[in-house]
Amino acid sequence: MARAKIALIGAGQIGGTLALLAGLKELGDVVLFDVAEGIPQGKSLDIAEASPVLGFDAALSGANGYEGIAGADVVIVTAGVPRKPGMSRSDLLGINLKVMEQVGAGIRQHAPDAFVICVTNPLDAMVWALQKASGLPTHKVVGMAGVLDSARFRYFLADEFDVSVEDVTAFVLGGHGDDMVPLVRYSGVAGIPLPDLVKMGWTSQEKVDAIVDRTRKGGGEIVNLLKTGSAFYAPAASAIEMATSYLRDKKRLLPCAAYLTGQYGIDDLYLGVPVIIGANGVERVVEIELDANERAMLDKSVASVKELVGECQKIAPGLGA
Ligand code: A3D
């Protein structure tokens, strides 16, 4: 059977890491696309030259024209600009919205059957814009944020408990902003929920609160350390997990920015919720029960996402028309 084709739009920090991980996992052949000449060609050649040492078979190539992505099975979009210290994700909106319009048109023309994963920030608004600009069905266009936010939460918890990261599960809902909703009740170690672990004396409520806060600000913590850009290893790993679930029909339950049509009482908006990803794209949106406090936090997050989408509609009123 022919290998799957994975197109990576944006060959920057995340794009390059995505290409390496896709190779290492033998997910398929990889095309790196970027407007910058030479970068996608150079990165793909560099990774191809690592393949004999790392032991994987994949064709890697670089492109500056959208023909290069023709017939892709998966498209992962990181094109645009990342944050610098002092910038919020929403500061990127104007520039990255224009990029989503171009990328959406390219996907519409050359890869209309692909499963599309958007990573560009501000995530929930950009995935909304990308779906409108591409015209692809909503179940084939998702945003990556929840897997990353949950991974950060998991890592901090594993560190606190001194247990394997593999045994820690964690859940983050809502928009990918500082008002995201880490769900303490649905997070824990090997099935033991966090509130029980507090009762068992494994940690204190104060420490859990501090970890929740650090999770919310996890992206900013890295931006402040790097000073020249934002996180890229963990974001790339997270998008690859989503792509793998689609390509291998694993039907993983992953928190992703998915298009809602009434679930959680929300309509015509992309928001981080648990979904099943399989060969048909987003196969199911899972509606979990929220208590009053969790609901209030989600409503706050929804309001922020709506505001950003409203700004997109003002800047590009004809989007998707
Ligand atoms: P960076 O290393 O700057 O790469 C972006 C690439 O996009 C550059 O190589 C640009 O040349 C390219 N580019 C710009 N405009 C276009 C265009 N019109 N068409 C094609 N390519 C273009 O950034 P990065 O890889 O670090 O981050 C990429 C995006 O991901 C940024 O918007 C970040 O904010 C975002 N990001 C999201 C998360 C989430 O969890 C959602 C996490 C980290 C970063």
Side-chain angles (χ1 to χ4, degrees), residues 80-83 87-101 120-126 128-129 304-316:
V81 290
R83 283 197 284 170
M87 284 174 97
S88 75
R89 293 179 179 93
S90 36
D91 289 337
L92 307 172
L93 188 127
I95 307 169
N96 287 350
L97 178 61
K98 287 206 177 65
V99 175
M100 291 307 102
E101 290 186 270
T120 302
N121 271 320
L123 192 269
D124 306 271
M126 290 304 101
W128 177 90
S304 313
V305 175
K306 276 192 178 158
E307 203 180 305
L308 290 176
V309 169
E311 277 182 54
C312 292
Q313 284 166 321
K314 261 189 242 152
I315 300 171

Side-chain angles (χ1 to χ4, degrees), residues 64-137:
N64 298 117
Y66 274 100
E67 318 78 65
I69 74 162
D73 299 290
V74 168
V75 177
I76 307 180
V77 179
T78 63
V81 290
R83 283 197 284 170
K84 301 234 163 55
M87 284 174 97
S88 75
R89 293 179 179 93
S90 36
D91 289 337
L92 307 172
L93 188 127
I95 307 169
N96 287 350
L97 178 61
K98 287 206 177 65
V99 175
M100 291 307 102
E101 290 186 270
Q102 289 169 16
V103 173
I107 294 173
R108 180 197 290 257
Q109 192 178 351
H110 297 283
D113 297 323
F115 180 60
V116 179
I117 302 169
C118 180
V119 181
T120 302
N121 271 320
L123 192 269
D124 306 271
M126 290 304 101
V127 64
W128 177 90
L130 185 64
Q131 189 277 325
K132 300 275 178 220
S134 68
L136 265 60

Side-chain angles (χ1 to χ4, degrees), residues 9-15 33-36 39 66 78-83 92 96 99 102-103 119-121 123 144-145 148-149 152 176 230-232 235:
I9 314 247
Q13 297 282 53
I14 302 180
F33 170 96
D34 205 290
V35 285
I39 301 285
Y66 274 100
T78 63
V81 290
R83 283 197 284 170
L92 307 172
N96 287 350
V99 175
Q102 289 169 16
V103 173
V119 181
T120 302
N121 271 320
L123 192 269
M144 187 294 295
L148 170 65
D149 297 329
R152 287 181 172 145
H176 182 58
S230 54
F232 52 99

Side-chain angles (χ1 to χ4, degrees), residues 204-244:
S204 62
Q205 189 56 48
E206 291 69 38
K207 282 194 176 153
V208 171
D209 293 345
I211 287 174
V212 165
D213 189 54
R214 191 174 176 198
T215 301
R216 285 206 172 107
K217 297 174 183 153
E221 185 177 358
I222 305 261
V223 169
N224 288 334
L225 288 167
L226 294 180
K227 297 186 180 66
T228 53
S230 54
F232 52 99
Y233 294 117
S238 304
I240 288 289
E241 185 166 53
M242 292 164 64
T244 306

